[in-house]
Amino acid sequence: MDSIEASDVASIPLEEIDVSRPELFANDTWQPWFERLRKEAPVHYRADSVNGPFWSVSSHALIKEVDTNHKVFSSEKGGIAIADPYVMDESQIQGQSFITLDEPKHMPQRMAVAPTVAPKNLGEFEPLIRERAIDILESLPVGETFNWVQEVSIELTARMLAILFGFPYEERRKLVRWSDLATAVPEVTGDDSIDMNERYEELMGAASAFYQLWTERAKEPPKFDLISMLIHNEETARMNEDPELFLGTILLLIVGGNDTTRNSISGGVLALNKYPDQYQKLRENPGLIPNMVPEIVRWQTPVIHMRRTALQDYELGGQQIKEGDKVVMWYLSGNRDEAVFQDADKLIIDRPNARGHVAFGFGVHRCMGNRLAELQLRVLWEEIMKRFHTVEVVGDVERLPNNFIRGIKDVPVRLHPI
Ligand code: HEM
C-alpha cells in the first residue's frame, strides 16, 4: 500500500489528488501528497470526494490568511470539519458550541469559559496535574512491554479532564468514552460500524451526568472547576436551561482537551524515538522541555484540519474561491512548510521558531486550551526525565484512519530507568 502510494504521488494528475482519504493518516503516508500540493497548488481544488468538493489550503501563510479572516471564512455556515455536520433527526439535540459560531455570537461564549484555562487558574491546577502524572509514572510496569497510549496518554488526559470539570475521579474514563463517541462520525473516521442511535443515547447519558453535577455544584461555594465557573458567571449561569448549548459546550471542552493532548503525549514518544539525537540532547539538557513542548505539538499536529465555508467570493493564493465553497486548512501540512520550518519533518527540540506552528489555529477561534495542553506536556516530560533514561518504542505503531484527529492507538514501549 505504502509503495503504491509513494509512486503515485508524482504521476497522478493534480486534480485527482484527494488528501482527505482517511487511509493516508492511518498509514502515515500523507507527507509526499502535501509536499506536492504545497509546491504546485497550495490552494487546490478537488471536485469530488466522500465529503463533496473542497479546496485544500496547505501552506503556512495561506492557512493563516484563511484562519484570521473570519468575516469571509465561516465556522458556523458548514461546521469545522470536512465532513458536514452530522444531523440525526431534527427533534434530537445536536449540541451547539462556540467553536461552530461566528461573531458576534462566538466571543461572549468563549469569554465566559476562557477563565477556567487562564494562567491564574492553571497555577491552581499544576500541583494536582503533577501529582497525578507522578502517580501514573510510578505505577508503570518497568521491564515489560506495554501500550503507552492506554497507560499514560489516555490515563493522564482522563485525570486532567476530571480535574478540569471537578468530575468524580473514579468515573474519569467515562469522559474519555464520551469524547471518543462525540467524534465517532463515519465520514470522519472511515468506520461505519457505529450505531448512531446508540451513540446518541450514550451522549444523552453524558448530558444527564453533567446536569446532575451542575445541580450538586450549584449548592457549593465557588471553586476553580469549569462547572463551578459556568454557574458563577453571569453569561453562563443559566446555560443548563438550554440543552443545545449545555451539551455542546461541555462536549467541546471534553473533546478539545482529550484527543489532542492524548495524541501529543503519544506523538512526543514517537518523535524522540525517531530522532535519537534529539532524545540525547534532551537528556543532556532537560531545560529544553519548555521549547520541546510546542515543537512536539508542531510535529504531531493533533488536529489535522479545520474547515471553513466562504461567505463571499474571495481570491486566495491566485485561486477564485466562490461563495459557499468548502475550504479546508490542513494544519498538518502548514506545520511541515519548509518556507517556515527548516528540516520540517524532523523534531528539533531547540528549534528557534517552534512556537510559530499553526497546530492551535489562528484568529478568533485559536485554541482556548493551548496553555493547559502545554502545561500538561511540560509537567509530564519533566517527571519522565527524572525517572527514565528512555521510553523505548519496541514494536509497530497503530494509527487511526481519521482525517480530522491525528490519532495514535497503540505505541508498544519498554521503560529504561535512569
Ligand atoms: C495539543 C493540544 C491541543 C491542540 C493541538 C488543539 C487544537 C485546537 C485547534 C486547531 C482549534 C481550532 C482553532 C481555529 O479554528 O483557529 C482549537 C480550538 C479549541 N480548543 Fe484546542 N487544542 C488542544 C488542546 C485543548 C485543550 C486541553 C482544551 C481544553 C480546554 C481545548 C479547548 C479548545 C476550545 C474550547 C476551542 C474552541 C475555541 C473557539 O472556538 O474560540 N483545546 N483547538
Side-chain angles (χ1 to χ4, degrees):
M1 178 76 181
D2 288 11
S3 59
I4 299 169
E5 297 248 337
S7 63
D8 276 354
V9 178
S11 58
I12 191 172
L14 207 50
E15 65 275 14
E16 284 177 27
I17 293 179
D18 178 2
V19 283
S20 72
R21 289 179 298 133
E23 63 268 24
L24 291 184
F25 307 100
N27 301 336
D28 208 29
T29 49
W30 48 271
Q31 292 90 337
W33 297 98
F34 282 114
E35 200 182 328
R36 183 161 172 216
L37 288 196
R38 282 195 305 274
K39 218 175 271 169
E40 297 178 30
V43 181
H44 168 263
Y45 191 65
R46 165 80 196 186
D48 69 285
S49 78
V50 174
N51 299 295
F54 67 98
W55 291 96
S56 281
V57 184
S58 52
S59 78
H60 189 273
L62 290 167
I63 287 170
K64 275 169 93 169
E65 182 172 339
V66 173
D67 221 352
T68 47
N69 193 343
H70 61 269
K71 290 203 174 108
V72 171
F73 297 105
S74 165
S75 302
E76 188 168 334
K77 182 91 182 156
I80 53 160
I82 189 170
D84 293 327
Y86 185 85
V87 181
M88 296 197 55
D89 171 334
E90 294 294 322
S91 66
Q92 291 178 324
I93 297 167
Q94 312 293 329
Q96 170 73 75
S97 70
F98 58 89
I99 199 167
T100 50
L101 289 182
D102 290 338
E103 303 311 334
K105 288 181 271 179
H106 159 261
M107 206 38 95
Q109 286 193 29
R110 176 178 165 121
M111 296 312 282
V113 263
T116 345
V117 285
K120 182 181 164 291
N121 220 28
L122 292 186
E124 302 286 339
F125 288 147
E126 179 166 344
L128 204 49
I129 291 178
R130 190 175 296 276
E131 191 186 300
R132 294 192 177 173
I134 293 173
D135 185 43
I136 292 173
L137 295 175
E138 299 268 294
S139 63
L140 293 174
V142 174
E144 286 172 31
T145 300
F146 66 92
N147 180 3
W148 181 261
V149 178
Q150 274 300 330
E151 304 303 324
V152 181
S153 312
I154 296 183
E155 187 53 32
L156 183 63
T157 326
R159 291 180 188 204
M160 189 276 304
L161 283 174
I163 297 173
L164 191 64
F165 284 100
F167 196 80
Y169 183 61
E170 328 66 64
E171 295 180 34
R172 61 191 179 277
R173 285 280 173 140
K174 282 189 180 167
L175 298 170
V176 177
R177 168 79 186 151
W178 294 330
S179 172
D180 289 345
L181 270 182
T183 48
V185 174
E187 287 80 355
V188 177
T189 59
D191 172 10
D192 53 15
S193 66
I194 181 145
D195 181 325
M196 294 307 267
N197 284 318
E198 277 177 24
R199 170 183 180 267
Y200 183 75
E201 288 308 316
E202 251 192 89
L203 288 177
M204 287 306 105
S208 78
F210 276 101
Y211 276 120
Q212 200 187 332
L213 200 59
W214 183 286
T215 313
E216 288 163 12
R217 200 63 39 86
K219 295 178 199 147
E220 298 166 4
K223 294 184 180 170
F224 293 108
D225 68 84
L226 199 113
I227 302 291
S228 188
M229 284 213 164
L230 292 174
I231 292 170
H232 295 284
N233 181 315
E234 251 177 61
E235 290 279 346
T236 48
R238 300 177 68 162
M239 184 185 264
N240 60 327
E241 292 169 17
D242 180 344
E244 287 287 351
L245 187 64
F246 186 70
L247 184 62
T249 308
I250 300 282
L251 282 181
L252 169 63
L253 290 157
I254 300 179
V255 172
N258 184 45
D259 285 335
T260 50
T261 318
R262 175 201 303 182
N263 289 308
S264 307
I265 295 173
S266 309
V269 167
L270 287 182
L272 286 167
N273 273 264
K274 191 163 179 192
Y275 303 105
D277 61 319
Q278 300 300 309
Y279 212 154
Q280 186 52 28
K281 207 190 275 178
L282 174 65
R283 277 182 210 108
E284 284 161 13
N285 185 4
L288 290 173
I289 290 173
N291 198 75
M292 177 180 81
V293 164
E295 174 64 353
I296 286 176
V297 174
R298 181 195 71 85
W299 190 86
Q300 176 61 22
T301 312
V303 178
I304 297 173
H305 78 261
M306 280 275 150
R307 170 255 180 106
R308 299 292 187 257
T309 306
L311 295 178
Q312 62 188 65
D313 294 358
Y314 186 86
E315 195 186 307
L316 182 71
Q319 299 291 328
Q320 192 56 58
I321 311 275
K322 293 260 178 263
E323 179 185 345
D325 282 357
K326 191 184 278 196
V327 178
V328 180
M329 300 174 282
W330 294 100
Y331 293 139
L332 187 56
S333 174
N335 283 340
R336 292 294 193 278
D337 191 338
E338 291 280 345
V340 179
F341 304 107
Q342 230 180 13
D343 209 355
D345 274 333
K346 185 169 179 182
L347 180 94
I348 300 176
I349 65 170
D350 51 357
R351 186 184 285 284
N353 65 343
R355 289 201 171 273
H357 67 71
V358 286
F360 289 130
F362 259 88
V364 291
H365 287 282
R366 183 175 165 80
C367 178
M368 201 187 83
N370 60 353
R371 288 201 192 88
L372 175 61
E374 289 188 348
L375 168 67
Q376 264 188 285
L377 291 168
R378 175 175 60 75
V379 166
L380 178 67
W381 278 103
E382 282 167 2
E383 298 304 328
I384 290 174
M385 295 313 292
K386 286 181 200 161
R387 291 168 177 78
F388 306 113
H389 178 271
T390 315
V391 181
E392 186 195 5
V393 177
V394 290
D396 290 340
V397 172
E398 197 183 333
R399 296 167 186 279
L400 296 177
N402 187 321
N403 66 24
F404 189 63
I405 291 293
R406 189 152 176 242
I408 306 167
K409 203 171 161 195
D410 196 348
V411 180
V413 297
R414 194 173 285 225
L415 299 174
H416 300 272
I418 284 174

